[in-house]
Amino acid sequence: MMPDGYGTSHTMPVRGGSRQGIDPCRVQVVTGDRPFLVDTVASCLLRHGWRVEDVRHPIIGVKRDRGTIEAVGMPGRGGCASESWIHIDATAPLGTD
C-alpha cells in the first residue's frame, strides 16, 4: 500500500507528437487512487495556459514495500492497492521554454 502523501510527478519531452512545430511534454503523476485526480491535474495545467493534448489514466493494482514495487496485479487482490498512473501530453503556452 502506498503511504499517505506518496506520489511522484515529472515532465518529459514527447517527440513525434508535434503540432505546428511545437513538441508537447508528458506530465506523469503516480499516486494513490482518489476521486478527481485527473480533473485536478488537467485544470491546473489549463489554468497556467497549457493545452492538454491527450490523457491516459490507468488504475493499477500495486503492492509496495517502502516505495519499491513488489508486485502488480488487480487492485484489492493479493495486497495490491489501487494507484492512479496519470499520463497527460500537454503543450506549453507560447513564449515559455
Side-chain angles (χ1 to χ4, degrees):
M1 178 173 203
M2 294 180 77
D4 285 338
Y6 175 85
T8 184
S9 65
H10 67 276
T11 61
M12 65 179 77
V14 177
R15 299 293 174 217
S18 69
R19 184 174 212 172
Q20 298 177 342
I22 301 171
D23 284 328
C25 288
R26 178 162 296 141
V27 177
Q28 298 184 336
V29 178
V30 177
T31 190
D33 188 39
R34 293 194 171 100
F36 306 109
L37 290 172
V38 173
D39 292 338
T40 301
V41 174
S43 67
C44 181
L45 290 168
L46 293 168
R47 185 173 44 248
H48 289 282
W50 288 68
R51 178 182 173 148
V52 173
E53 304 288 345
D54 188 36
V55 177
R56 289 164 309 285
H57 177 227
I59 297 173
I60 301 172
V62 178
K63 183 176 180 181
R64 292 181 180 265
D65 181 25
R66 296 184 201 131
T68 301
I69 295 175
E70 289 188 333
V72 176
M74 293 293 295
R77 293 188 181 168
C80 292
S82 296
E83 290 186 8
S84 285
W85 291 44
I86 303 168
H87 307 271
I88 298 177
D89 292 343
T91 305
L94 294 177
T96 61
D97 292 332

